[in-house]
Amino acid sequence: MAVTKDRRFIASIVISSAFFLFGNGPTAGAQNGTLFSQGTRGATQKSYHPERGEVLLRQLGVAGASVPKLELNPHLSIFVSDVETTSQIKFSEVMDQLVKQGGDGSLTKLALFRQWWDTAGQAATGLGLGPHCDDESAPKDGFSTRNGFPYRCPRLEKDEASSDPFTDESAPEGYSAIAFSNRFDLIGADVPDPKRPWRMLTPDCGEYRIVFARNSGKHSVSKAEPGPHRNLINFEARVPNPEPANGVKGCRPILDFWHGLSDKSISASARGKLLHDFYLNGLPRYHVGPVVDIAHYTFGTGQIRTNQFLKNSFIWTLREFKVVVGSDGRLRIVPDTVKTSPGNDLFRCGSVDPRVASLTLNIRAQIGRLLGGAGWAKGVGNINSIGFSISGTGENAFEGDELDTDHVKLGDVSAAFLKPCVNGTPHPLSASIQDALDAVGSDLKPIDIVNRIRTQTCAGCHHYSGNPKDGSGIPKDGDEDLGGGAFWLNKAAAEAEHRGMPFTHVSERKDDLKDAIVGSGKRYAISRVAEKFLEFREAFMKKALGLPEVLTDR
């Protein structure tokens, strides 16, 4: 299928704004990688927070529901992880669709997959088809840099560039879907109509995601470790509103589709087939195109994120990628900054990075959202009320990582903040945060604010926040006190309802499986924190559907 005019336009804008040129060898790659890193930092496309929406519940309009008496089940309509349901879509179908949309008849899904994971290796030993981990700087002690922040180089995931996950998708090197995620709560804020400035448009209907896991991770060696062969991939598509001038009502066909999945008379496999068609074909009757679309994973839209443990017993990292069509007409999957994950160096006392000033302004401007009073809840106690975002991409790192050579975790901004200043000098960032707290009359401390910022980062949300092993003094089985009555759940702690999950929010492990929502099968388990997130997502969707809300404090 030839690339559409819209996709070609988006791709050309992306490439020109990212200043990304693809070389054929190590020298060109090193030169162009630097341009890509700096260009991404200055790109004009909007950057979305991957987990916190722009629209507050009280601001959300009502689209209405076609079946108002159908009870909304969050495990069937918001985060769907039944094994029989998720098995209805294949990794090869998603990759194949992207390749066909790219319009390059010589490109195969295997070639695209290998180019993607070749980005984890060095140019000298790579395929020479796109960027590499040493494009900005040569590695030293296992790290190069991206956007001026440490970037582990190489990663053992580079070996996927010689793997074939498609010939036998049930093999250990194959990937299986483990969850479908409805993130309508990430709907974008209204924007002025460029043709009629007096009218506002609702540009999109949020994100719709598929989580794939490498089959080798289903049989982990030990429950105490992440496992040596885990790799999770999230395709996170931001879907345009088919009727943007109609506000949230333009999203009603999508809302109705997901709401309808709560009908328990639908079998798990039939629900999976419906979701398969939604992601690969869309809702043509309502002018909603395929969710899996290269235009939905590029700059200014959605993203692909990875949770990587491959062949490592403890060194975990989270990265983000974009799908782009280069000036040579070839489709590639390239690294991008991990959103709302500011580099640790910006929090260290004595940092001379000029971006500290921008980070400080972001924190001061968003102190209300960090407190929660101006967020999704009336009070500060609910973790769903806390919000923080980076206004651009310049302060973001290119990964959230677990270890660093100076024993300050790359993804743990709180650990960097708590590192003592030289000669006991005052911490400028701490003083600035204290001034902002004093201005609004808050009793919280600067470390409470930094801990709250940490919950909004990818690494913090997945691991450091609430993890009793991160050195923050949390009781072994307790939750992390964020101040003001807010507690971040310790997701690593096991309980009757939820398995302990030190890293991921959904587990592919067979020994974590729980009973299915519908039928006698099984479903992939989710974390305590993810369950808490579902409370808000359920309330948000109910508001849009005009259904009675369970929660009223948002």
Side-chain angles (χ1 to χ4, degrees), residues 321-344:
F321 299 85
K322 297 288 188 178
V323 180
V324 299
V325 178
S327 57
D328 59 358
R330 191 173 182 86
L331 186 73
R332 291 174 176 85
I333 299 177
V334 300
D336 191 34
T337 56
V338 179
K339 302 307 177 293
T340 313
S341 294
N344 268 33

Side-chain angles (χ1 to χ4, degrees), residues 116-131:
W116 174 7
W117 292 101
D118 187 51
T119 63
Q122 295 173 259
T125 57
L127 301 176
L129 298 175

Side-chain angles (χ1 to χ4, degrees), residues 11 18 22 24 29 31 101 164 174 182 191 210 220 225 244 257 260 270 332 381 387 460-461 467 501 515 544:
F22 293 96
N24 294 318
Q31 295 170 347
Q101 290 168 348
D164 180 359
N182 160 13
V191 296
I210 315 173
S220 51
E225 296 182 350
F257 168 79
R332 291 174 176 85
C461 177
N467 188 330
M501 293 186 192
D515 290 340

Side-chain angles (χ1 to χ4, degrees), residues 98-329:
L98 296 178
V99 168
K100 290 177 181 177
Q101 290 168 348
D104 181 355
S106 66
L107 184 65
T108 66
K109 58 181 177 287
L110 181 58
L112 180 62
F113 177 82
R114 288 178 169 174
Q115 174 274 308
W116 174 7
W117 292 101
D118 187 51
T119 63
Q122 295 173 259
T125 57
L127 301 176
L129 298 175
H132 296 92
C133 66
D134 58 348
D135 285 346
E136 185 173 284
S137 67
K140 181 180 179 181
D141 299 325
F143 291 93
S144 61
T145 61
R146 279 277 190 181
N147 207 20
F149 297 119
Y151 190 65
R152 196 175 292 276
C153 180
R155 285 280 309 187
L156 289 179
E157 283 81 12
K158 67 181 176 57
D159 293 343
E160 290 291 81
S162 59
S163 177
D164 180 359
F166 303 118
T167 299
D168 181 1
E169 293 193 62
S170 64
E173 61 270 21
Y175 287 79
S176 299
I178 61 172
F180 294 106
S181 179
N182 160 13
R183 295 304 308 272
F184 171 69
D185 63 295
L186 297 181
I187 185 172
D190 287 356
V191 296
D193 185 338
K195 297 181 179 179
R196 300 175 178 84
W198 62 87
R199 183 173 71 171
M200 299 299 287
L201 303 178
T202 302
D204 62 70
C205 298
E207 292 187 3
Y208 300 89
R209 302 175 171 182
I210 315 173
V211 183
F212 287 96
R214 201 175 195 269
N215 295 329
S216 53
K218 293 182 177 181
H219 304 281
S220 51
V221 176
S222 169
K223 290 279 298 173
E225 296 182 350
H229 296 294
R230 298 182 76 187
N231 200 34
L232 286 88
I233 301 172
N234 293 10
F235 287 87
E236 304 175 343
R238 183 164 289 270
V239 176
N241 188 336
E243 298 180 21
N246 206 16
V248 71
K249 292 182 179 179
C251 299
R252 182 169 175 173
I254 296 175
L255 288 166
D256 270 341
F257 168 79
W258 283 92
H259 183 205
L261 298 177
S262 285
D263 184 348
K264 291 188 177 181
S265 69
I266 302 173
S267 68
S269 60
R271 184 173 291 101
K273 289 181 173 64
L274 290 170
L275 284 160
H276 170 279
D277 288 346
F278 173 72
Y279 278 92
L280 296 182
N281 301 317
L283 302 171
R285 179 180 175 184
Y286 301 101
H287 308 291
V288 177
V291 172
V292 176
D293 190 307
I294 60 176
H296 299 166
Y297 304 109
T298 195
F299 294 95
T301 61
Q303 58 279 323
I304 301 173
R305 289 190 293 172
T306 60
N307 215 336
Q308 302 174 197
F309 316 77
L310 194 57
K311 299 184 181 179
N312 291 283
S313 62
F314 66 95
I315 304 172
W316 158 90
T317 195
L318 187 146
R319 290 183 175 175
E320 184 170 321
F321 299 85
K322 297 288 188 178
V323 180
V324 299
V325 178
S327 57
D328 59 358

Side-chain angles (χ1 to χ4, degrees), residues 376-391:
W376 289 331
K378 293 178 181 177
V380 299
N382 194 313
I383 61 172
N384 278 304
S385 75
I386 298 169
F388 179 72
S389 59
I390 298 295
S391 57

